[in-house]
Amino acid sequence: MTLSHRAVFLDHQALGLEDLDVVPLHQAFDALTLHPGTTPHDVASRLAGAQVAITNKVTLDAATLACCPDLKLILVTATGVNNVDLAAASAHGITVCNCQGYGTPSVAQHTLMLLLALATRLPDYERAVADGQWQRSTQFCLLDYPIMELEGKTLGLLGHGELGSAVAKLAQAFGMRVLVGQLPGRPARPDRLPLQVLLPQVDALTLHCPLTDHTRNLIGAPELALLKPGALLVNTARGGIVDEQALAAALRSGHLGGAATDVLTVEPPVEGNVLLDPSIPRLIVTPHSAWGSREARQRIIRQLGENATAYFAGTPMRVVG
């Protein structure tokens, strides 16, 4: 067999292959080399002679692509392709394909989990038991932290694509009323409410939009002030959509009833982050793990194989750029 379809996976550790069936990925290529991670210095050398590069977060910039004359296809193991210079790829005749919709059930589930944890004050009650407060109680139950029912409450959504729609269905199953906000930079629609109209109406707000120039710091101090006292905020979209300093201040002031985020502006937060301060009340931070169910990661493997097979057959799919 000639190695005409040689692929290199530059950073499979970001996907976590240990519990996945990777046979479909191996079957898509004549040869597949797996690297847990790759430094910028090693990218060009590792791609030498390869026709296919597979990357999650490793950057493939113009200089790197110019050093890889055999490269014909880039497979990104995510939806976002900001780590690939699409213009340079096009100039070199390199097709770029991404993965799509793989994490919808996982992220929607995580979003509702965070919303429920905030509404039921789960972290506070868990901590109370661990600290012995229930054991010292004079009655059978401990009700020190006010619990909110989602039934009859209003949920605001910013972003109503596949993911936002999935969250809306789950919220409606809990008896919530769902309103959708108008995102800046997009055509106005009669079923989308401007932020100044949406925010005062909602008991909880969840974010499902991309980070763009239009959505950076979309939820800042003025927007947080428009929310009802005691409202909840959940961000499983991207860090940077919420002004982190403003969110910390809104929680410390007691204006918000709670917030949860799966994303930060810099990930991993190796130099710290204002939202990691343990003194901030009623805040849950998870480590960008909402997307990472085994099922979601297996869908990525399947889509990578599909994208490669389709490209080799002359009918590329999920092409970006």
Side-chain angles (χ1 to χ4, degrees), residues 25-115:
L25 194 56
H26 283 279
Q27 290 177 336
F29 309 104
D30 296 331
L32 173 62
T33 303
L34 300 171
H35 296 287
T38 301
T39 66
H41 178 266
D42 292 328
V43 175
S45 62
R46 287 186 171 178
L47 291 178
Q51 289 74 47
V52 183
I54 307 175
T55 177
N56 183 273
K57 292 293 186 289
V58 171
T59 297
L60 298 176
D61 56 20
T64 300
L65 297 180
C67 297
C68 303
D70 296 314
L71 199 61
K72 302 300 180 186
L73 176 65
I74 296 172
L75 300 177
V76 181
T77 66
T79 302
V81 294
N82 55 297
N83 58 321
V84 179
D85 189 324
L86 296 179
S90 178
H92 289 285
I94 301 170
T95 300
V96 181
C97 302
N98 68 352
C99 296
Q100 302 170 11
Y102 55 86
T104 298
S106 184
V107 177
Q109 170 181 293
H110 196 91
T111 301
L112 262 292
M113 178 273 294
L114 292 175
L115 185 58

Side-chain angles (χ1 to χ4, degrees), residues 153-275:
K153 301 299 189 298
T154 298
L155 175 67
L157 295 174
L158 289 179
H160 196 248
E162 181 176 339
L163 180 53
S165 298
V167 170
K169 290 179 182 178
L170 293 177
Q172 288 166 340
F174 279 91
M176 299 190 80
R177 169 189 179 223
V178 175
L179 299 176
V180 182
Q182 174 68 49
L183 287 173
R186 298 191 182 181
R189 292 177 44 169
D191 58 343
R192 303 287 191 265
L193 298 177
L195 279 185
Q196 64 269 25
V197 176
L198 173 77
L199 296 180
Q201 298 189 56
V202 304
D203 301 288
L205 179 70
T206 62
L207 309 181
H208 311 288
C209 51
L211 178 64
T212 67
D213 290 340
H214 292 293
T215 61
R216 189 175 303 278
N217 290 328
L218 178 64
I219 304 300
E223 290 75 26
L224 293 170
L226 286 174
L227 289 168
K228 296 178 181 179
L232 307 177
L233 172 66
V234 177
N235 183 10
T236 54
R238 285 292 181 267
I241 296 174
V242 177
D243 182 323
E244 292 170 337
Q245 293 282 354
L247 177 58
L251 288 166
R252 284 198 167 103
S253 73
H255 177 65
L256 290 184
T261 185
D262 187 54
V263 290
L264 297 174
T265 50
V266 177
E267 300 170 343
V270 292
E271 297 183 359
N273 184 288
V274 63
L275 295 182

